[in-house]
Every structure is written in structure tokens, then in C-alpha cells.
Amino acid sequence: MSSPFGAYQSEIYLRGLAGQVPAFTTDTARLEDAARGRMEPGPFGYVAGGAGSGATVRANREAFDRWRLMPRMLTGATDRELGTTVLGTAMPAPVLLAPVGAQSILHPDGELATARAAAALGLTMVLSTAASNTIEDVAAAGADGSRWFQLYWPNDDDVTISLLQRAKSAGFTVLVVTLDTWTLAWRPADLDHSYLPFLRGIGTAIPFSDPAFLAGLEKTPEEDPQSAILRWVPMFTGTDKRWDRLPFLREHWSGPIVLKGIQHARDARRAVDSGVDGIIVSNHGGRQVDGAVGALDVLPEIAAAVGDRLTVLFDSGIRTGADVVKALSLGAKAVLVGRPYAYGLAMDGESGVRHALRSILADFDLTMGLSGHRTLADLSPDTLRRT
Ligand code: FNR
């Protein structure tokens, strides 16, 4: 089946004939500006903010700007085939929803709205451990949609095992282990508002509904929120792990395992040696290490270092269709999108997530065609020029 995504363009123009315009901009590189005036300062800062001076957030975008597409003509790119299969998951386009925690600060429906939007588009949602809804409720909202589970690795093996079992039973097929956020960075946007959702019991629904987590409490989190939060903090923050702990996850998770937050070719090789199935080249959207290299800048060397020995995915800074083309051309098998859909959720709930994602996908589809690429296999470093 050829790609349907570009059709969103005609849908928007046709609705215009009935006097309708999109609920917010189709310029997906400008969603932050659009959302700024429509969100409370705390939640806005939580989404937009980065580590320290924001240099890594900026570096992520600058890295994309250094690469330019080299369009080709007369290639018969009328009907595009953008579908792919990643780690056993079939996708209509190589785009996933990145794990974003505490989504109820953005919209009352939180992750449930996101799961419904992802399922409606056939896209894969990666559910965060720091969600504001339970694993089971998000799975039910996503119905037949494909889903992966992101683990913030607890400092308690019983809780870890329990979370993995719950995710497996609820139909999550791939485990994404986030390595770069074992403790929170210095984030001025949140510090200036003294705003951290988790300390308010937001983004804790998964552990707070977990039998192994609850076993360590005398009273339920509803009866005694303070004690539950005090158990949560040291379990999810403050302790870094080492490579030799990875076999523990393999022992308790039978599906593919992906390491999120790889930024160095040496770590990528180490990931190959450790036998995981994939990596996400990512710096957490610039939220963890200030002054770090732009994620796209390290993608080519990492892709070269691992070859086809594991699946390379990418996030951090994807805003437009051209960005997707660039990351795929430089070696990613698929990309994850974070902030754009989070702003969509904040501005218009489930339809906002759909609008933000459909805009990126339509732009991607049209950019593929107009630059002369019919399939994902047509993309290579030769598609681009570094400026
Ligand atoms: C994140 N990210 C994230 N990652 C993760 O593994 N677990 C999580 O709970 C969260 N939570 C989260 C909240 C918010 C508000 C943002 C913006 C990001 C990181 C996310 O998965 C992804 O790596 C980045 O968002 C990608 O960068 P862009 O697309 O936002 O530039």
C-alpha cells in the first residue's frame, strides 16, 4: 500500500472550503512558540526546558541545519512506500512516539489520549515508566495499537521484575531502557518554578499501582502520598548502574531490548557486545547533559560503528519531515518524536497529538517524493550534503 500521509495536505485545504483551519500551526518547527502562550508556565517549562544553559537543545537543532537534502528529479516517486518493520513491529512510517512522562500535566487524559492518537495513526507509542496512567489503562486505551515500554530502571529488583511482567502481559513488545536519566539534570526552567511533577505525585501512576512497590508501604499512596513519594524518590533517582547489570533485564524480559541515550560510538559497540537488540541515539532532547554534542552529529559515527549488528534508532531534535529524512539517511532505521506531540497534547488533547504527528508525517511523505525518494531504501548519506 502506498503512503497515505501526504493526503493530510488536501484534507486541510478541503476543510478550508468549509471555513475551517487547523487548531494550531502546521509548522511543526514552531510548535514551541505556538504552545508558549497556551500553557501554564510550569508545564511549559517542563516540556521546553533543557539541561543548564540549553546548549544541547540548541545543538540538536543546529546539527540538523548543517545537513541539506540533494533533491533528485524524474524518479517516478509518485507513490511512496514508507512502511517498515522495526524489532518485529510493523509501522506505516518509521516514526514512533518517544516516551514522555507525566502527560497529565499537559492534558487531563494524559497518556490515554496519546495512546488513542497513536493507535488511530497506526504508530507505535513508547510508554514511559513515569506515566500519569497505569500500564494497563494505557494498553486498554491503545487497544490494537502497537506499544513498547520504556523502563526507568528501579533500584529494586522485585519492582523491576514486576514492572516488566506487567508490561509483557499488557502487550508491550519491546523494552526501551533509558540510561541517561538515572538522576535529573540541573534544569533551570523547572528549578525557577520549583516545579517537579513527581514530587506532587504526578507521573507516578505505574509504581503506585504496582504490587511489588506497594508491598514496601504501610498505607496506600492515596492514604499517605508522602510516604509513597519518599519511597519513589530513591528508587528512581540517584543511582547509576553498570553494563554488567544488563543480563538481569535479559533474564526477565523475553522480547527485544533497546538502550536509549547512547551518544558515543564506544558505548554503541559495548551495546553490541552486551547482546541488546537496538539502541536509540539520543541525548534526551538536550534535557540531561548541558554542553553536549548534538545527537544528529554523532549518528553517522555510531551507525558506522555498529553496522547491522543491531537496530539503530534516533531521537532528539526531530521537528519536520526533512529532519526525518536526514536522520534516516544518516543511518537510523526509525526516529522518535518527543516535544512536538507533547505540545499537540497540551494544545488540543488527542486531536492535537494527531494533528502534530500527521503534520510531520505529511511533510515527511511529501519531502520524500519531491526529493525523488520512493522508498526508505532509497535513502543514504548520498541523499545529503553537509554544509
Ligand atoms: C522526555 N523524555 C523522556 N524519555 C524517557 O525515556 N522517559 C521519559 O519519561 C521521558 N520524559 C520526557 C518528558 C518530556 C516533557 C520531554 C520533552 C522528553 C525524552 C524523550 O523520550 C525524547 O528522548 C526527547 O523528547 C527527544 O527529543 P525532542 O524530540 O523532544 O527534541
Side-chain angles (χ1 to χ4, degrees):
M1 193 190 77
S2 63
S3 170
F5 291 114
Y8 194 38
Q9 183 194 47
S10 8
E11 192 179 315
I12 291 175
Y13 286 134
L14 287 173
R15 281 210 224 116
L17 301 178
Q20 291 173 24
V21 292
F24 55 87
T25 184
T26 54
D27 182 348
T28 47
R30 300 265 176 283
L31 289 174
E32 180 178 321
D33 293 340
R36 185 177 279 111
R38 294 166 71 164
M39 293 173 68
E40 292 297 320
F44 177 78
Y46 184 67
V47 176
S53 69
T56 309
V57 178
R58 291 191 295 278
N60 283 341
R61 292 298 302 144
E62 287 158 9
F64 278 96
D65 222 29
R66 281 191 284 275
W67 291 100
R68 297 289 165 149
L69 273 64
M70 303 269 286
R72 304 294 305 274
M73 299 297 130
L74 296 175
T75 64
T78 315
D79 297 312
R80 272 84 61 194
E81 303 282 350
L82 304 181
T84 186
T85 297
V86 181
L87 298 169
T89 304
M91 310 180 174
V95 175
L96 299 88
L97 286 78
V100 166
Q103 293 185 18
S104 66
I105 66 170
L106 306 175
H107 187 274
D109 294 345
E111 292 80 5
L112 305 180
T114 300
R116 289 193 281 262
L121 297 174
L123 300 183
T124 301
M125 172 182 181
V126 187
L127 173 65
S128 165
T129 301
S132 37
N133 288 279
T134 67
I135 292 176
E136 295 74 16
D137 287 350
V138 176
D144 295 337
S146 57
R147 43 189 174 266
W148 296 6
F149 181 68
Q150 176 265 323
L151 185 71
Y152 277 136
W153 193 342
N155 297 314
D156 180 309
D157 287 352
D158 292 339
V159 174
T160 306
I161 293 168
S162 178
L163 295 183
L164 298 185
Q165 282 171 349
R166 287 172 66 194
K168 194 86 200 167
S169 327
F172 291 79
T173 58
V174 173
L175 182 67
V176 173
V177 187
T178 299
L179 305 178
D180 55 22
T181 310
W182 53 270
T183 211
L184 274 186
W186 185 253
R187 294 184 183 170
D190 298 336
L191 293 162
D192 289 353
H193 295 110
S194 300
Y195 184 77
L196 188 61
F198 312 103
L199 297 187
R200 301 164 190 222
I202 301 169
T204 53
I206 291 179
F208 283 14
S209 59
D210 190 84
F213 182 89
L214 296 175
L217 294 174
E218 280 173 16
K219 293 182 181 165
T220 66
E222 294 72 38
E223 288 162 352
D224 182 2
Q226 199 63 23
S227 299
I229 290 165
L230 286 176
R231 179 162 159 74
W232 182 91
V233 171
M235 193 177 293
F236 287 94
T237 68
T239 309
D240 194 9
K241 296 188 176 57
R242 293 179 183 276
W243 287 95
D244 62 8
R245 291 282 286 142
L246 287 177
F248 173 82
L249 294 180
R250 183 57 89 197
E251 199 182 315
H252 295 283
W253 180 263
S254 53
I257 296 180
V258 175
L259 301 182
K260 177 170 184 277
I262 298 294
Q263 299 168 71
H264 200 296
R266 270 189 225 127
D267 283 347
R269 281 193 213 98
R270 194 91 197 250
V272 172
D273 295 341
S274 71
V276 297
D277 306 277
I279 55 174
I280 304 178
V281 176
S282 162
N283 57 29
H284 213 101
R287 299 163 72 78
Q288 284 299 95
V289 178
D290 189 20
V293 65
L296 193 76
D297 281 330
V298 294
L299 178 60
E301 67 205 54
I302 291 181
V306 303
D308 55 8
R309 291 179 293 166
L310 47 64
T311 299
V312 177
L313 307 176
F314 175 88
D315 78 28
S316 296
I318 298 273
R319 296 290 175 271
T320 67
D323 295 342
V324 180
V325 174
K326 291 177 188 180
L328 298 176
S329 300
L330 294 176
K333 171 98 175 146
V335 302
L336 293 80
V337 171
R339 289 184 184 87
Y341 87 80
Y343 291 128
L345 178 64
M347 287 190 280
D348 201 20
E350 179 187 337
S351 1
V353 176
R354 288 183 50 191
H355 174 59
L357 291 170
R358 290 185 80 190
S359 297
I360 292 177
L361 290 166
D363 183 22
F364 169 54
D365 187 8
L366 294 168
T367 302
M368 282 290 286
L370 291 170
S371 61
H373 303 102
R374 212 183 65 75
T375 73
L376 304 178
D378 293 343
L379 300 175
S380 74
D382 195 43
T383 308
L384 307 178
R385 171 172 294 175
R386 197 174 162 92
T387 57

